[in-house]
Amino acid sequence: MLRVVVDGRELSVPPGLSILQAAAGQGIEIPTLCADARLAPSGACRLCVVDVEGEARPVAACTTPIRDGMVIETHSPTLEAHRRSLLRMLARPYPRDVVSRAPDEPFHRLLLAYGLADEPTGSAEPGKVDDPHPTIRVDLGRCISCWRCVRICDEVQGQFTWRVAGRGPTTRLMPDSVTTLAESSCVACGACVDTCPTGALEDRSVLAVGAPTRWTRTTCPYCGVGCELLVGTHDGRIAAVTPALDAPVNRGHLCVKGRAGHGFVAAPDRVTTPLVRERGSWTSVSWDSVINFVAGRLQDILERHGPGAVGVLGSARATNEDNYVLQKLARTVLGTNNVDCCARVCHAPSAVGLKHLFGTGAATSSFEDIEAARTILVWGTNTTENHPVVGARIKQAALRGTHLVVVDPRRIELAQYADVFLQPRPGTNVLLLNAMAYTVLDEGLLDEVFVATRVDGREEFQAFIQPFAPEAVSAACGVNAESIREAARLYATAKPAISFHGLGLTEHHQGTEGVMALANLALLTGNLGRPGAGVNPLRGQNNVQGAAHMGCEPAHLPGYAPLSDARTRVSAVWGSEIPEQPGLDAMEMLDAAEAGELKALWVVGWDLLLTQPNAQATRQALANLDVLVVQDLFLNETAREFGSVFLPAASAFEKDGTFMNSERRIQRVRKTLEAPGDAKPDWEIVARVAQALGRDDLFAYPDAEAIWEEIRRVWAPGAGITYERLEAPGGLQWPCPDTQHPGTRILHEQSFPGIGPVATLERVDPQPAVEVPSVEFPFVLVTGRGLYQFNAGTMTRRAATGEFHPGDRLAISERDAQRLDFAEAQPIRVRSRYGQALLPVEITDRVPAGIVFATFSDPRVSINQVTGTHRDPYTHTPEYKVTAVNLEAT
Ligand code: SF4
């Protein structure tokens, strides 16, 4: 610690801080306008200057490092007079009435504190207002040229949208479009709004709803990054969402979905009473009546057809507590292991592949390891759109010089920052990964020490890998051999190297084996069990890892414990038998429904009709059910077409609980608003049905925390995680086996759970793509998500985010568009062996010739009418990424 004197007080402060930071840590506030903890100090505003004994002139506190023995004066009369005159200069041309309207803006607080609130004499200038952006209002009349917006756009988001134009008195802020923010490269993350000290940049939602009067800390309900949010409410409505500055995941940053995607909560078509469909029409009913109805129908089917005729699907958007209660109901009340969640259709291959090689089916490291890595390998994830806050961290790392290898059939944004960009043919992941493994062995790049001590099967693997020289597979992958070698060299030698993968690796007929082949690469190169290394699936939905981990899995109990191992133990805690036979997974449930064997399905927070592949088959399956219970916020497409009963659920903003993010982090979800009408938390609805079926004893939970306490008893690696401990920023990462345990940032430092210190390389034979382009179907359709719409769009279509992305488009290369004579936005028909969809084209250089790409968030398009039937044999995860299609002008 350093010993310093500040304003006459002797203080001990840690080294490595600026004077500003050290003083702030001791509760001494030095005025500033250009400083923001998320940004490198600029020393531009000169407001923070302080006197340091021995210095001839005052120094900027933000840029001057604190040193041992310093004697500092922060608020002398001379310094205060200097600050007052600086503020006066800024205040004079400032609009007159703004300070009193928004006294909490940092600049306004300073004017008030220095008695300068009446100083502004300017007036609002309509010409300086830039209005058309869907989420941000710009009023350059309130800009004081601190350039925090420019710096945060560069230094945190890496978008470089805001520019400083002109010189001297004509200096001004402008977006890179040179016109409006709406026409610029802005991705609406809102970081500029967040840092602006005057309100020159403002959230439209605040203007519409009013300034927040209450703030609640919670976790984002969108992707698996798990950003911590501060939700500001006004009169029972969400007025603003800002990032928690001390959150280790997002470190004071959000993406457009987290910041502006909350409008769905107050959407006019929110369902607020239970509904039962009678003779084709929905009728509102009371909770008592609907609970008795659901219980009665389930009981009837159980009696007539047995427990195997009933299935339950949990929700990746619901909390751990909701999912835990749901799977417990399936097992103890309905007597079936027919319980699953939508991890089935995304990252089940990651869980199975990683568990098979490493003993734990989850990310091995943390987002913190991005900054510790020397090389980042990004495989099949459009990170800046689908996990934008992680994408921004990767971008910043690359800008600082971290090596980046990007593998994706599309030229995604990160490709422009990559040292090596590989653009393989869809469906050739295993081949390409084997070629990288070959290179590591061929060029002697493997980590001899790690392999000798932690890896088994080297010789067999060496023999197996011989046919996969980059030169031999290059043509099949569509990637040149030297680039494959270059990627392997970086990953193996510029260490530590970390990988992040997405659905581009898992949603394939060889998805699980693709994950295993990636894990092989980490083992060969020793990129595991240390900071800056590891293999990390980026989970799509906020709690998809948690839903499966809580037991919404047909062959696993809570903690992803195999049914066969954990059945007796968990039965003892529950005081109720658990059926022995593994159940059907989601894909098998729909197959069984189509075959007339599954009679009742209860689906929570998952629009099957829009998201399952081969929509015709899904439609047939749902039509065959005797009872379809849909529990959601909205009458989604599944409910609208096939639902028998609709149970209105509370959103993540309206209940308590926890989510589990991609890096095994449990974080609190806190109630921010009252649920509208009669909507209830998912767990409460499930518990009421269980009680109606006679199991009050097992489901008498007073609140979400009581459920969590039970989860701790059945899940040993989570036993140390309590709600009280989760009050700390960032919550806790499992394993966390006892209440003294700090949580685990990095897995496999010494050994592999259930395996021992040594993991075995898996020899993965590449299988040919199941759908290859032909004369009849000459294109490959890849489906995926985008920045502004989330998944099926159930929430984002009903929020400001929807304004950025009004509907799905078919991305096509310029070459193909020219050849087929397609014009931008022209509606075309996409046809496959399974079905067809109609959507407008978007001509882009992001997809290569022969490949087309579409999102699946638009019910008017329903692109899953086109995707096919192929599945990964280990997990039944569908092949969403390779469907041979034909394109026709309509
Ligand atoms: Fe939410 Fe993900 Fe965006 Fe973070 S990155 S704000 S968790 S959607």
Side-chain angles (χ1 to χ4, degrees), residues 275 277 282 294 601-608 622 627-649 682 685:
L275 304 173
R277 202 196 291 265
W282 290 104
V294 171
L601 184 62
W602 183 348
V603 50
V604 178
W606 180 359
D607 194 347
L608 291 169
L622 296 175
V627 184
L628 174 60
V629 180
V630 177
Q631 187 165 315
D632 210 316
L633 312 185
F634 301 96
L635 262 190
N636 59 29
E637 299 309 304
T638 305
R640 207 183 293 278
E641 278 205 48
F642 298 105
S644 334
V645 182
F646 186 89
L647 306 175
D682 290 294
I685 300 170

Side-chain angles (χ1 to χ4, degrees), residues 431 435 438 465-477 479 481 484-485:
L431 202 54
Y438 173 96
I465 209 75
Q466 290 315 306
F468 300 105
E471 294 71 18
V473 306
S474 155
C477 295
V479 179
I484 300 174
R485 284 186 178 271

Side-chain angles (χ1 to χ4, degrees), residues 32-33 102-111 148 195-199:
T32 173
L33 278 172
D104 286 337
E105 296 289 358
F107 177 54
H108 302 171
R109 280 208 306 267
L110 282 172
L111 293 184
R148 278 163 67 163
T195 193
C196 175
T198 68

Side-chain angles (χ1 to χ4, degrees), residues 497-508:
I498 190 168
S499 69
F500 291 97
H501 68 268
L503 305 183
L505 186 61
T506 61
E507 283 183 343
H508 282 291

